[in-house]
Amino acid sequence: MSDTFIEIDRVTFGYDSSRIILNDVSMRFPRGKVTAILGGSGCGKTTLLRLIGGVYPANQGRVVFDGELVDSRDKAQLYRIRRRLGMLFQFGALFTDLSVFDNVAFPLREHTSLPEALIRDIVLMKLNAVGLRGAAPLRISQVSGGMARRIALARAMALDPELIMYDEPFAGLDPISMGVTANLIRRLNDATGATSLMVSHDVQECFAISDYAYLMAPGGRVVAHGTPEELNRSEDPEVRQFIRGEPDGPIRFHYPAPSMAQDLGLSA
Ligand SMILES: Nc1ncnc2c1ncn2[C@@H]1O[C@H](COP(=O)(O)OP(=O)(O)OP(=O)(O)O)[C@@H](O)[C@H]1O
């Protein structure tokens, strides 16, 4: 069994031919580890998760899932792969008209034919793992943002995934809920032996719980990668700007655009 669970090998991708979103990206996500992909808004992090899930094919390069080349045209393969991965979407994306219990039960009812009594036990175990067994009967409207994120985490874990992908797991959370969620991601990873992959722009929160991190810049480029300690020690100006959140530096603030004068019709 290889140590690499997911491999992104020289992947280039654009939603259309007019703009490259991922530019010659190579990454490896080791089995059983927590890896962070960090980058500002729009640099292609979510797109990368879509390619791993086979939603879109790479224009160039390969995505390998546990030794198997991901082929977005092979529906049977995609079904098998998706059965092995859990996804925590930005802001949790819970069903607001269902109870906490029914949200976590949803993937079990949808993807298995387990009897309801067993589903009940699994749901209560998953909720217990995130400290919310007592909240099972509540409606989603009755829970806080931090609780909602933990419920979404319990739902993502419902089918015992081997890979868990987190899209901005800390978005919109207060600092305490952020810390709770981060610790939970690490604990669940270690308790289940799953491989965790997290995309985020919260550098320090991710560094606190990641084994390894990739930094991405606009234009879908990997700027640097290493352990959090290595990246924190880096003298590279781009890496330092990124980690310290400095407004000025080599990473551009502006999305590519024509000149202001041209846009305002002022050019000669
Ligand atoms: N379905 C789509 N069709 C066309 N363009 C898209 C699509 N989804 C995203 N994009 C574009 O691809 C670029 C990268 O988006 P992506 O969501 O991967 O970035 P991100 O790094 O995850 O950003 P954020 O943190 O804001 O979610 C953006 O410029 C976005 O406008």
Side-chain angles (χ1 to χ4, degrees):
M1 198 164 68
S2 152
D3 278 351
T4 303
F5 194 68
I6 304 285
E7 184 181 1
I8 311 285
D9 180 24
R10 308 208 60 181
V11 162
T12 295
F13 174 78
Y15 288 98
D16 53 53
S17 54
S18 67
R19 192 155 62 97
I20 287 182
I21 306 293
L22 298 172
N23 190 358
D24 197 15
V25 170
S26 292
M27 297 179 177
R28 269 169 200 276
F29 307 117
R31 204 179 287 277
K33 304 283 187 202
V34 178
T35 308
I37 303 170
L38 295 160
S41 192
C43 67
K45 305 182 300 299
T46 304
T47 302
L48 195 61
L49 299 188
R50 291 188 184 132
L51 262 62
I52 293 171
V55 180
Y56 298 100
N59 299 127
Q60 283 173 41
R62 307 177 315 145
V63 176
V64 182
F65 187 107
D66 198 13
E68 208 179 336
L69 193 65
V70 176
D71 177 357
S72 65
R73 291 161 310 181
D74 182 345
K75 299 295 168 223
Q77 183 208 44
L78 290 187
Y79 186 81
R80 262 188 292 116
I81 285 179
R82 288 177 192 165
R83 229 1 213 89
R84 299 172 66 189
L85 68 84
M87 177 86 194
L88 189 86
F89 296 98
Q90 274 186 45
F91 300 106
L94 295 168
F95 301 113
T96 48
D97 49 347
L98 296 183
S99 67
V100 170
F101 181 96
D102 286 333
N103 264 280
V104 181
F106 189 85
L108 293 157
R109 289 176 178 148
E110 199 70 3
H111 292 288
T112 73
S113 46
L114 294 173
E116 200 54 31
L118 192 51
I119 288 182
R120 180 176 178 280
D121 290 351
I122 297 172
V123 170
L124 293 180
M125 272 179 345
K126 301 295 172 189
L127 282 171
N128 198 51
V130 300
L132 292 177
R133 188 164 37 83
L138 298 183
R139 307 212 68 81
I140 297 303
S141 57
Q142 294 173 293
V143 306
S144 70
M147 285 166 76
R149 206 61 54 87
R150 282 148 71 192
I151 295 159
L153 193 47
R155 187 177 64 181
M157 307 287 297
L159 294 166
D160 293 325
E162 294 164 73
L163 172 72
I164 314 172
M165 302 203 288
Y166 298 94
D167 193 356
E168 298 288 358
F170 311 118
L173 293 182
D174 62 74
I176 293 175
S177 304
M178 252 193 199
V180 170
T181 306
N183 285 333
L184 201 50
I185 290 174
R186 181 77 235 185
R187 266 203 291 136
L188 289 174
N189 182 82
D190 296 345
T192 60
T195 301
S196 302
L197 214 175
M198 182 164 56
V199 311
S200 175
H201 52 254
D202 293 302
V203 177
Q204 293 309 331
E205 213 60 53
C206 285
F207 274 10
I209 58 159
S210 300
D211 297 298
Y212 204 81
Y214 288 87
L215 305 190
M216 289 185 71
R221 214 162 39 84
V222 176
V223 174
H225 54 99
T227 63
E229 298 73 35
E230 286 164 353
L231 293 169
N232 268 327
R233 279 200 310 266
S234 171
E235 296 290 327
D236 183 288
E238 213 169 8
V239 175
R240 289 167 72 99
Q241 181 198 355
F242 198 99
I243 290 175
R244 295 178 192 172
E246 291 159 2
D248 295 313
I251 297 174
R252 273 190 324 222
F253 164 69
H254 280 289
Y255 188 87
S259 75
M260 189 71 157
Q262 204 178 335
D263 255 359
L264 298 179
L266 303 173
S267 50

